[in-house]
Amino acid sequence: MVFPIVGGDGKPTGYEIENSLRFNDDDSPNLTDRPASGNRKTFTFSTWFKRSNLKPSGENFLFGGSSDGANDTTEFKLQNDQLTFIIFDGSSNTSYIRTTAKLRDISAWYHVVFRIDLTQATNTNRIRLYINGVLQTSLDQTTYDAQNNDSFMSLGNGYHRVGADPRTAANFFDGYMAETYYIDGQSYDPTYFGKFDDNNEWIPVEPGTGDGGSITYGTNGFLLEYKQTGTSANSSGIGADT
């Protein structure tokens, strides 16, 4: 996959996303990390993805966090083809935000940003979902955590999983992901990760060069560019933090 960035004169500006990772749900794929203790209230998840098939009545997990062996979880996913964010405390959803828009085009690359800041006084500013640079204001589920509640991200000795339910390593994503970010401790809007070109199409920018400014990743933050090929949990693995 290549995303050339084109300037006003029609010439490439020099940045391309060159790699993506194929997730085949028949193979139970996921990338797993055991994070240190970090910020449980403020964080950002951003990725480009392309779906390979649709699950209109199921779940495709993009990312998530949970504690060790418990049912509490924080979920970034597609549910009924809709972009969805959930915080589940083991008995109920304390946050449940889902877009009305359905992402059903399996030929398209989508860019999504989950911008979370549970310290915000205004509930609608605590959880913001963006698709291709646009804040989603048409929502069919709107339950917001109380101000300053904790999520289940960055729990010491818990789980972070890309491409699967963080509790059970199930409900696998089926498709491709590219340039996957997790930001621990910062609530970033999409201008850190992309921009609109002269045709008003949303395109990626080189990491750290967006109009939003430089990126501070925090304790458990990462950038996955999928440059490697190995399956080991080290710098040679395809899930290495670049």
Side-chain angles (χ1 to χ4, degrees), residues 126-201:
R126 293 175 202 150
I127 301 167
R128 286 170 279 190
L129 310 184
Y130 299 79
I131 300 172
N132 295 338
V134 178
L135 176 65
Q136 300 300 292
T137 56
S138 179
L139 306 169
D140 74 1
Q141 295 287 343
T142 54
T143 300
Y144 295 92
D145 257 274
Q147 186 182 15
N148 290 317
N149 273 7
D150 283 330
S151 74
F152 299 102
M153 301 303 297
S154 290
L155 279 164
N157 205 38
Y159 288 93
H160 285 173
R161 280 198 174 102
V162 177
D165 186 326
R167 293 169 294 180
T168 61
N171 296 314
F172 302 101
F173 179 69
D174 194 77
Y176 298 82
M177 288 195 209
E179 206 157 85
T180 301
Y181 292 82
Y182 179 66
I183 311 298
D184 180 0
Q186 304 292 331
S187 171
Y188 285 152
D189 66 48
T191 63
Y192 286 81
F193 315 107
K195 69 176 183 179
F196 289 103
D197 68 9
D198 292 345
N199 296 316
N200 204 37
E201 293 186 1

Side-chain angles (χ1 to χ4, degrees), residues 88-104:
F88 179 72
D89 68 1
S91 59
S92 63
N93 294 322
T94 59
S95 283
Y96 187 5
I97 309 301
R98 188 172 69 186
T99 65
T100 301
K102 295 178 182 282
L103 307 184
R104 290 176 169 167

Side-chain angles (χ1 to χ4, degrees), residues 49 51 58-60 77-83 103 173:
F49 71 85
R51 305 184 69 183
E59 298 176 303
N60 271 238
K77 63 186 179 181
L78 295 168
Q79 183 180 58
N80 303 331
D81 297 329
Q82 296 156 270
L83 197 65
L103 307 184
F173 179 69

Side-chain angles (χ1 to χ4, degrees), residues 42-104:
T42 306
F43 44 90
T44 310
F45 176 71
S46 164
T47 195
W48 289 86
F49 71 85
K50 181 178 182 291
R51 305 184 69 183
S52 293
N53 61 51
L54 302 181
K55 295 180 181 178
S57 61
E59 298 176 303
N60 271 238
F61 271 78
L62 299 170
F63 185 50
S66 71
S67 58
D68 186 8
N71 287 325
D72 40 35
T73 185
T74 301
E75 305 173 3
F76 310 72
K77 63 186 179 181
L78 295 168
Q79 183 180 58
N80 303 331
D81 297 329
Q82 296 156 270
L83 197 65
T84 304
F85 178 80
I86 288 174
I87 299 175
F88 179 72
D89 68 1
S91 59
S92 63
N93 294 322
T94 59
S95 283
Y96 187 5
I97 309 301
R98 188 172 69 186
T99 65
T100 301
K102 295 178 182 282
L103 307 184
R104 290 176 169 167

